[in-house]
Amino acid sequence: MPTLTHWIGGERLEGERHLDVTNPASAEVIGRVPMADAATVERAIDAARAVQPTWRDTPPARRAQVMFRFKMLLERDADEICALISREHGKVLEDAMGELKRGIENVEYACGVPELLKGEYSHNAGPGIDTWSNHQPLGIVAGITPFNFPAMVPLWMFPMAIACGNAFILKPSEQAPSTSLKMAELLGEAGLPVGLFQVIHGDREAVEALIDAPEVKALSFVGSTPVAKAIYRRGADNGKRVQALGGAKNHAVVRPDADLDNAASTLIGAAYGSAGERCMAISVAVCVGDATADALVASIGEQARTLKIGPGTEKGLDMGALVNAAHRDKVAGYIEQGAAAGAELVVDGRRHPLVEASPGYFLGATLFDRVTPEVSIYRDEIFGPVLCVVRVETFEDAIALVNAHQYGNGTCVFTRDGEAARRFADAIEVGMVGINVPLPVPVAFHSFGGWKESLFGDLHAYGPDAVRFYTRRKAISQRWPARNAQEKAQLNFPSS
Ligand code: NAD
């Protein structure tokens, strides 16, 4: 059984304390991952400190060249990376390829860093004074990432952080740790100097050591809301820049004027893709009117029963296993609670044959109808293949329902009415909005982030916000007085 290592100063480093890594499709232990202590974190910081000043002074165009090569290497080894993702996470290979491609978009965006760092310039901002502002790297920055996107979420962070001139320390999820090591190897092959990208595996101990280290200037976190909040607070106490993206409960509002066939088939993908283990998964369909709900539930119910489920590494499947036994049991527990609370269980994923027949952590697609806002399956993030249908009378009721929820990550409206779509986009209190687009994950040149309990911090992830997050602005004013100019002392506040 392979023992994974940290990646520090360009070398593999073993650890003393370990956790098992499991294949969710078979429940087999497939590796052991070391858990870093504070001394290991310190080692990574030392290695980063030794190289970052030289990297900071390397022209952005040369830094970008590394990202061009890294992109090509990710594409070259895409199949291998997707196999690693699927083996540890459980998602199907095609879905892993989708995540990797979306991740690579962020590397492409980072290739444009010379343009993004150009800054602003004013000639003659005052008499004989030129002023410009530029972006300077922060130094050493860190990222803490969740299990559900082992490639994409780290790629939201480190390509831009490094391209901006920082050194980056990644603490990936201990449940899906191998992809980050593969990316570290590829960055080395792409010519990134040793120490600029490092991987430390671990749990709370490692994360707290990163937050408390004065040399780490900024933290990007993606994961569950309670951890996001705790990291945001502790980071802020330490005077750090923090962006902490949390959990979600994403609603799709389905109006009576929508193309219901299209809404049903795209909702199947948005609710059950990746077994619902996506922060942008749709987990609530709010149907305006009973006729809309009846038609949608009939169509989704029929399709949900026929989804092909199995080990993610097999081709042609729709859904793989959930990440681990505890999580599968938690999701099954929510199904139990929903049924006990009186919601109508239209399709029960616990009855899927693989749940009994396989040692893996499988659960079929589940559909609830007539869910009410006070029950736990509506309030909480379940993070599994469970879709709840809530019936409301009017479109305004639907908007009010979405706005009252604690989370505000993504949402979507299905409609053919432009006026309604515009009203939705304006009134909805959610960070990412789709109009007939159920997974409105912005492309890499826009930023990603939710509102309310889905994000703590000011700046969103990737896109233009990433340049702002991983740099600090400096405004420089310069004047070259004429030789021998007889200038009088000026005591008033200078103005133009
Ligand atoms: P998680 O919060 O359990 O773990 C995320 C990271 O934090 C991991 O690296 C983990 O090791 C670390 N961690 C866990 N507990 C910690 C603690 N007490 N102190 C310090 N660090 C700790 O999340 P997860 O289960 O890996 O991922 C699923 C969650 O992530 C869901 O809530 C999902 O919505 C969310 N998510 C959000 C986004 C987004 O963009 N908003 C994207 C993907 C996932």
Side-chain angles (χ1 to χ4, degrees):
M1 183 172 40
T3 297
L4 299 168
T5 59
H6 307 294
W7 182 276
I8 295 178
E11 287 176 4
R12 292 182 175 276
L13 187 81
E14 307 247 337
E16 284 171 15
R17 188 164 65 89
H18 290 86
L19 284 186
D20 287 344
V21 182
T22 307
N23 179 343
S26 63
E28 282 169 311
V29 176
I30 51 173
R32 296 168 76 231
V33 60
M35 298 287 103
D37 56 13
T40 309
V41 172
E42 199 50 49
R43 221 166 140 161
I45 290 171
D46 287 347
R49 204 169 25 201
V51 65
Q52 191 271 332
T54 312
W55 185 244
R56 177 193 61 206
D57 295 339
T58 302
R62 291 217 344 242
R63 302 198 299 245
Q65 289 301 325
V66 175
M67 291 301 149
F68 278 106
R69 291 191 290 271
F70 180 49
K71 166 191 152 64
M72 291 193 311
L73 295 172
L74 287 169
E75 287 169 345
R76 183 194 71 189
D77 291 354
D79 288 337
E80 183 189 339
I81 295 168
C82 292
L84 286 176
I85 294 173
S86 183
R87 239 164 71 88
E88 293 179 353
H89 172 282
K91 68 174 76 175
V92 300
L93 286 172
E94 291 84 348
D95 191 35
M97 191 58 87
E99 107 157 65
L100 182 60
K101 283 184 176 160
R102 293 303 297 267
I104 290 173
E105 278 181 12
N106 293 278
V107 186
E108 291 166 353
Y109 188 60
C111 289
V113 80
E115 169 73 20
L116 296 166
L117 293 181
K118 268 191 335 200
E120 292 158 345
Y121 182 83
S122 297
H123 180 71
N124 256 356
I129 296 180
D130 304 325
T131 295
W132 72 93
S133 47
N134 62 19
H135 305 260
Q136 299 197 341
L138 301 174
I140 303 173
V141 299
I144 298 132
T145 53
F147 78 84
N148 67 320
F149 286 113
M152 185 181 77
V153 170
L155 287 168
W156 285 357
M157 302 174 180
F158 71 79
M160 187 57 82
I162 293 173
C164 285
N166 300 288
F168 192 93
I169 300 175
L170 174 64
K171 205 304 285 172
S173 169
E174 62 281 18
Q175 299 182 78
S178 296
T179 308
S180 50
L181 291 173
K182 174 70 188 170
M183 292 196 288
E185 275 174 18
L186 294 184
L187 279 169
E189 195 179 337
L192 186 74
V194 159
L196 288 170
F197 179 74
Q198 304 181 85
V199 180
I200 52 165
H201 300 288
D203 49 20
R204 185 173 177 167
E205 185 180 351
V207 172
E208 290 184 349
L210 280 170
I211 308 176
D212 293 345
E215 298 86 352
V216 175
K217 302 296 180 196
L219 291 155
S220 297
F221 171 86
V222 176
S224 59
T225 288
V227 182
K229 256 186 198 167
I231 286 179
Y232 185 74
R233 282 206 192 101
R234 192 166 177 138
D237 277 351
N238 278 302
K240 279 189 194 12
R241 190 177 287 193
V242 185
Q243 54 179 189
L245 283 70
K249 190 84 177 174
N250 305 308
H251 299 64
V253 172
V254 187
R255 284 174 47 93
D257 55 63
D259 174 342
L260 286 183
D261 287 341
N262 179 267
S265 60
T266 54
L267 276 177
I268 285 277
Y272 303 125
S274 201
E277 290 173 330
R278 289 179 182 149
C279 65
M280 289 292 275
I282 293 287
S283 47
V284 183
V286 187
C287 293
V288 181
D290 281 334
T292 311
D294 291 345
L296 198 82
V297 167
S299 177
I300 292 183
E302 194 183 321
Q303 296 180 59
R305 287 187 191 92
T306 60
L307 291 178
K308 289 189 242 114
I309 302 176
T313 44
E314 285 179 14
K315 296 237 168 195
L317 296 175
D318 297 311
M319 239 169 76
L322 276 77
V323 69
N324 60 40
H327 186 57
R328 194 266 313 269
D329 294 348
K330 181 178 147 199
V331 177
Y334 271 112
I335 300 173
E336 186 65 39
Q337 286 174 36
E344 189 181 314
L345 188 49
V346 181
V347 184
D348 185 349
R350 296 170 301 176
R351 301 201 180 286
H352 191 280
L354 270 185
V355 176
E356 286 293 318
S358 168
Y361 313 128
F362 291 99
L363 203 55
T366 296
L367 178 64
F368 277 106
D369 191 6
R370 299 181 191 280
V371 174
T372 48
E374 68 283 356
V375 298
S376 63
I377 54 168
Y378 175 76
R379 286 195 323 266
D380 300 350
E381 178 183 50
I382 298 177
F383 219 57
V386 180
L387 178 64
C388 297
V389 172
V390 180
R391 295 172 176 235
V392 294
E393 285 180 15
T394 68
F395 184 44
E396 290 303 318
D397 291 343
I399 291 175
L401 184 79
V402 178
N403 287 350
H405 204 282
Q406 59 171 326
Y407 293 115
N409 212 37
T411 188
C412 162
V413 63
F414 287 99
T415 182
R416 286 194 174 283
D417 181 330
E419 188 186 349
R422 194 161 185 276
R423 159 87 186 128
F424 186 82
D426 280 348
I428 214 72
E429 291 172 14
V430 173
M432 291 168 285
V433 180
I435 295 169
N436 300 311
V437 175
L439 288 182
V441 178
V443 287
F445 34 97
H446 289 261
S447 297
F448 177 109
W451 288 10
K452 301 188 272 187
E453 295 281 294
S454 295
L455 185 140
F456 304 91
D458 302 318
L459 292 171
H460 288 192
Y462 70 77
D465 272 13
V467 181
R468 295 181 196 114
F469 186 78
Y470 294 121
T471 58
R472 52 188 166 175
R473 309 296 299 275
K474 187 178 271 180
I476 300 140
S477 297
Q478 88 174 351
R479 185 169 80 109
W480 298 100
R483 264 176 231 277
N484 306 321
Q486 299 291 314
E487 295 196 32
K488 278 197 186 153
Q490 173 64 268
L491 272 75
N492 298 331
F493 196 70
S495 70
S496 59

